[in-house]
Amino acid sequence: MVTGGAYAADKSQQVYWAGFAFTGEASARNDVAPHSTRVIQARGADTLNQQLSAALRRQPPAHLQLISDQLAKLDGTTSATVLAAALDRELVSVEPIGDQYKVLVEVALQALFFDFRERQVVASYPLTLQRIDLLEYRPDQDEIDAIVADLLYGGAATGLPTVLANTLANAQLPNASVRRLQVGAVTLSDAARAKLPNPAMEAPLRATLAHELSKALSSSTGIGLLPPASGEAIGGAMAARFADGKVYQLKIPEPDYVIKLQLDAMKSGVVSETPVMKTMLFGAFFQVSVVEPFSGKVYFDQPLRKGATKVVPVTQWQVDQWSAGYETVLAGLDAFAGAAAKRADARAWLNEQKPGGRPLQQQTQALQELINSCR
């Protein structure tokens, strides 16, 4: 870890840096993150913490004063905010495509802020590490471990040290009066469920979509959300387990607003074809609602869609339609987050929605005002 000290700009928001942690129960770690667990055990959490701290020194958050090597001095008598880089789960997919193998590795984490005295989550900034490779052979466990190690420890722009520093660059802690936002239930329609390559994918996919929607909203709006009400945050609580053996059972406060997502359909088709290539259109259809749980007031409830094209050369005889459809869903979640944040590129996407019209315009404005109340 970094030697004692602080690094940042805004002295009004002090945060104690706690380093890397796993979320969830220790007994489930080998099920939800087997490769990450092996890599951390082999390379050491202390080494990772040193790299994370070095990255945060090189690129300190603009609005937070990170205090290192002082966590042990906290006795819980005074309020203090603690920051952890918390790993939730990983996703590994190896799909044969022709005579090659497409390898997808994702590691889902969050920059998790919690009140040390109250043991309560303050905010979460989700982040995802991803690597996609096309190999001539099926990789074994050691090769997947090596990919995960590079994602966690690597110095590239896609490695955790840089991604964490970029995620925290403009992060701000909410004050006590700020309203809290949380991604709640994620469901799949029967039509969307039928598109899954494997029925066992449904539960991890729902957790992944909740994470990705939270990440899209956080990165587009700049606000920290509560951890999604799925995955490791079920039941209004979650555990954070650190390398030194300390375990914090954290409460998750009730959200003021809940975002619900239903994936309705994933469709695809050929829109044009020539002797050398064909153009395919992939469509993601989903419903998003934003509700105030206490009053039941609905701020946003609309069917949404997102399209994306993929050019396939005639020499490629097999198309990974599931991956293309999944990427289109993620693009749709990003487009929704852009509309919520009043991003400049959101207007064209909103105009493509059906039925759209005035109800969508009015609800989008209400959503944007709601987002501002969470800043």
Side-chain angles (χ1 to χ4, degrees):
M1 285 290 291
V2 183
T3 55
Y7 36 102
D10 187 347
K11 300 292 192 292
S12 66
Q13 294 191 320
Q14 290 189 337
V15 175
Y16 288 82
W17 168 240
F20 177 83
F22 284 97
T23 61
E25 297 302 319
S27 59
R29 189 179 303 166
N30 287 327
D31 294 326
V32 299
H35 298 281
S36 300
T37 300
R38 279 194 300 272
V39 167
I40 296 295
Q41 288 174 343
R43 294 207 174 190
D46 287 344
T47 301
L48 179 56
N49 283 333
Q50 290 168 7
Q51 292 180 253
L52 296 178
S53 296
L56 292 172
R57 280 201 309 271
R58 289 192 299 269
Q59 184 183 350
H63 307 294
L64 303 174
Q65 181 188 15
L66 294 187
I67 302 172
S68 62
D69 281 356
Q70 301 295 311
L71 186 62
K73 296 181 180 180
L74 297 179
D75 59 8
T77 59
T78 59
S79 181
T81 301
V82 173
L83 166 64
L87 192 153
D88 296 322
R89 64 192 170 279
E90 65 188 37
L91 170 68
V92 176
S93 170
V94 180
E95 281 193 82
I97 301 178
D99 57 355
Q100 296 179 307
Y101 292 88
K102 181 177 181 180
V103 181
L104 167 67
V105 178
E106 288 186 351
V107 182
L109 306 98
Q110 52 185 310
L112 182 66
F113 294 88
F114 63 93
D115 186 294
F116 186 81
R117 182 177 62 185
E118 302 297 330
R119 298 292 198 271
Q120 178 167 289
V121 173
V122 174
S124 167
Y125 285 82
L127 51 112
T128 304
L129 312 177
Q130 185 188 78
R131 172 78 59 81
I132 299 175
D133 285 330
L134 194 62
L135 304 178
E136 301 294 330
Y137 58 91
R138 179 182 288 275
D140 60 20
Q141 175 181 292
D142 290 342
E143 288 166 311
I144 298 296
D145 284 356
I147 293 174
V148 172
D150 192 47
L151 288 173
L152 291 175
Y153 290 83
T158 54
L160 177 57
T162 301
V163 173
L164 178 66
N166 289 339
T167 300
L168 294 174
N170 292 300
Q172 297 187 59
L173 296 179
N175 60 49
S177 63
V178 166
R179 293 179 175 270
R180 300 183 178 99
L181 188 65
Q182 182 184 49
V183 174
V186 175
T187 56
L188 275 65
S189 70
D190 290 341
R193 200 175 290 112
K195 291 287 186 178
L196 297 177
N198 183 341
M201 289 179 61
E202 181 176 355
L205 177 62
R206 287 192 282 107
T208 298
L209 291 178
H211 175 89
E212 293 298 328
L213 179 53
S214 292
K215 186 185 75 172
L217 286 164
S218 176
S219 60
S220 292
T221 64
I223 63 175
L225 283 70
L226 295 176
S230 60
E232 303 303 333
I234 293 176
M238 67 188 301
R241 301 175 181 276
F242 292 86
D244 61 2
K246 288 188 174 65
V247 180
Y248 298 113
Q249 298 292 339
L250 305 178
K251 297 173 290 186
I252 300 175
E254 291 293 325
D256 297 287
Y257 307 112
V258 172
I259 302 174
K260 297 180 181 180
L261 169 69
Q262 171 157 310
L263 180 59
D264 292 320
M266 301 166 67
K267 299 180 181 180
S268 63
V270 177
V271 293
S272 66
E273 193 166 4
T274 71
V276 296
M277 65 181 182
K278 63 182 177 182
T279 301
M280 298 188 67
L281 176 64
F282 292 85
F285 300 80
F286 54 99
Q287 183 98 12
V288 177
S289 64
V290 182
V291 180
E292 187 177 38
F294 181 74
S295 66
K297 181 179 179 180
V298 177
Y299 288 82
F300 189 95
D301 189 10
Q302 290 286 325
L304 303 168
R305 59 180 64 190
K306 177 66 177 178
T309 57
K310 180 180 180 70
V311 176
V312 183
V314 69
T315 53
Q316 183 179 340
W317 60 272
Q318 188 172 353
V319 179
D320 184 5
Q321 296 206 28
W322 162 252
S323 293
Y326 172 69
E327 292 297 328
T328 306
V329 172
L330 297 188
L333 300 185
D334 180 70
F336 166 74
K342 211 172 183 177
R343 212 166 59 199
D345 63 350
R347 184 179 296 276
W349 176 73
L350 287 169
N351 290 337
E352 297 171 355
Q353 303 308 303
K354 294 180 181 179
R358 187 164 179 77
L360 176 60
Q361 294 174 2
Q362 292 174 332
Q363 291 192 16
T364 300
Q365 183 177 350
L367 175 61
Q368 291 167 349
E369 292 172 355
L370 180 152
I371 292 294
N372 284 333
S373 75
C374 297
R375 295 189 187 281

